[in-house]
Amino acid sequence: MQEEIDNGRVVFGVDETTLPRIRRNLFESDKQVMRSVTFSYAQTATLDFIKIFNNVRVFENPKSVNDIENLIEYITSIDDNDIVIDFFSGSATTAHAVMQLNAKDGGNRRFICVQIPEVCDIKSEAHKAGFKNICEIGKERIRRVGLNLMRRVTSGVGNLKGEGWGCGMPSTKEGWDFAIQNILDIGFRVFKLDTSNLKTWDNTPVAEDDMQLLLDRMNGMIHRVKPDRSDIDMIYEIMLKLGVPLTYEVGKIQVNDKTAYTVGSDCLLLICLAENVRPEDVEAMAEYAPAKVIIARDSFSDDTAMANAHYILRDRGIELKLV
């Protein structure tokens, strides 16, 4: 009896009045049934997955979309704009489930999927199909699932939203744009973890007889943005540092002869990283009435232009930030 207790085989219950019982696991009662259920579960999930990739098995042992969808439905609400986070995204089953559930009940749930770019084996079906890493598989799955859901919803095939909700298949780009904006959100953005786009000062001590090294370091900081980074890289780093959601709309505009970017549908931010920014350019930026204007320090034609920008925006009640 003591041996059974030590092995966790005896259940005593919640209080002293409950009679002790022997605990038996399902696999001990019928091992064959247990193996059969497990195999059937995995096989169904795999068959559903490979259909997405035209019957090519690019990922091993994907999770069941329907099970993840049921879990999400149980713990989220249609109207609360819930965010579902999966830190081990794999083949992006969670993203698939979120979009599928939104298509069914009209919810506005969002997903954040995190996955290291694990390299696909060169002999694998995934590599043969052109996928270099697992992240590429997940991205392609989201694209294919989103397009399929949009087709089903807009054509009425499958009638995901219920009787009478489907409409005719759009025949123009404008029609598709309307469908995407008003029926089902299948958009997503992909971000890769990286170092800052701005150079950091190298504070390693310099020998007294090696002043050229110090001068080289100083000259290297004249332009702080790393040479291999794009404007869009900088835009998203600025958004992160200012606490602006990465889902906000980013638009490209022309201010006089300068390229600038707006963030948010109501121009929450106006960002300019162009060269030779003059006071008249800042005046034109102010016409967009942004909450903040962000301009690179290197952008101004001179220090006077930078000072003038401060006063121009201050008089308009617009905050100026420099990067």
Side-chain angles (χ1 to χ4, degrees):
M1 181 64 180
Q2 188 60 50
E3 181 179 341
E4 292 293 300
I5 293 173
D6 293 340
N7 290 333
R9 307 275 301 169
V10 180
V11 180
F12 286 95
V14 296
D15 55 50
E16 296 178 355
T17 63
T18 304
L19 292 175
R21 293 177 297 158
I22 296 295
R23 181 174 65 187
R24 289 189 177 88
N25 296 311
L26 178 60
F27 66 84
E28 294 174 310
S29 300
D30 192 342
K31 294 183 179 180
Q32 187 60 41
V33 170
M34 192 65 181
R35 285 200 299 270
S36 176
V37 170
T38 303
F39 176 75
S40 176
Y41 172 89
Q43 187 180 48
T44 300
T46 299
L47 289 175
D48 290 341
F49 174 79
I50 65 175
K51 289 178 182 177
I52 301 171
F53 289 89
N54 302 322
N55 295 321
V56 178
R57 189 168 182 168
V58 298
F59 190 85
E60 299 294 328
N61 303 319
K63 297 185 289 291
S64 167
V65 176
N66 292 334
D67 286 346
I68 301 301
E69 180 189 325
N70 290 336
L71 175 62
I72 294 170
E73 183 178 23
Y74 180 73
I75 62 176
T76 63
S77 177
I78 296 176
D79 302 321
D80 287 350
N81 299 320
D82 291 309
I83 300 176
V84 181
I85 303 179
D86 186 347
F87 281 104
F88 300 91
S89 177
S91 65
T93 302
T94 297
H96 183 165
V98 169
M99 291 192 299
Q100 184 167 286
L101 182 57
N102 283 340
K104 288 182 177 179
D105 65 12
N108 191 33
R109 304 169 188 85
R110 292 172 288 171
F111 57 83
I112 298 175
C113 293
V114 182
Q115 176 62 46
I116 61 173
E118 182 179 336
V119 177
C120 296
D121 189 281
I122 193 171
K123 298 180 181 179
S124 67
E125 292 298 319
H127 191 275
K128 293 176 183 177
F131 298 106
K132 296 180 180 179
N133 57 60
I134 292 179
C135 298
E136 298 300 321
I137 296 173
K139 289 188 288 185
E140 183 61 21
R141 179 183 190 173
I142 297 172
R143 295 187 190 102
R144 295 189 181 200
V145 168
L147 182 59
N148 182 55
L149 288 171
M150 181 62 72
R151 285 172 175 166
R152 292 175 63 188
V153 169
T154 55
S155 65
V157 177
N159 207 15
L160 295 181
K161 188 72 159 55
E163 185 176 353
W165 193 68
C167 63
M169 178 71 77
S171 58
T172 64
K173 179 182 182 300
E174 291 73 18
W176 273 108
D177 290 343
F178 177 83
I180 292 172
Q181 294 173 14
N182 295 278
I183 297 177
L184 183 63
D185 182 2
I186 61 172
F188 69 102
R189 286 176 174 168
V190 179
F191 296 95
K192 299 178 182 179
L193 185 63
D194 206 333
T195 57
S196 172
N197 298 293
L198 300 176
K199 301 173 186 175
T200 55
W201 173 253
D202 183 358
N203 59 3
T204 306
V206 178
E208 293 183 4
D209 59 347
D210 195 3
M211 294 306 296
Q212 185 59 47
L213 176 59
L214 179 60
L215 291 174
D216 291 342
R217 288 183 185 176
M218 295 175 67
N219 289 330
M221 294 298 292
I222 293 176
H223 300 289
R224 294 191 61 205
V225 179
K226 296 176 181 177
D228 60 337
R229 303 303 171 90
S230 67
D231 283 357
I232 293 299
D233 293 333
M234 281 292 297
I235 300 302
Y236 283 113
E237 179 169 354
I238 290 169
M239 291 170 65
L240 281 171
K241 289 184 174 180
L242 294 181
V244 177
L246 296 178
T247 53
Y248 274 32
E249 179 182 349
V250 176
K252 189 175 182 179
I253 61 173
Q254 287 297 124
V255 179
N256 295 336
D257 60 340
K258 307 294 188 301
T259 297
Y261 300 86
T262 60
V263 177
S265 57
D266 56 350
C267 195
L268 175 67
L269 306 177
L270 194 151
I271 304 172
C272 182
L273 307 171
E275 297 180 350
N276 197 31
V277 172
R278 301 179 298 272
E280 53 266 34
D281 299 323
V282 179
E283 290 275 7
M285 294 177 197
E287 293 299 320
Y288 286 86
K292 296 179 182 178
V293 170
I294 296 93
I295 303 178
R297 295 177 186 273
D298 302 341
S299 294
F300 292 103
S301 55
D302 51 42
D303 290 343
T304 301
M306 183 188 299
N308 287 336
H310 170 75
Y311 293 118
I312 291 169
L313 295 175
R314 185 194 65 179
D315 293 342
R316 300 287 191 93
I318 301 172
E319 183 180 357
L320 171 64
K321 283 190 171 293
L322 304 176
V323 292

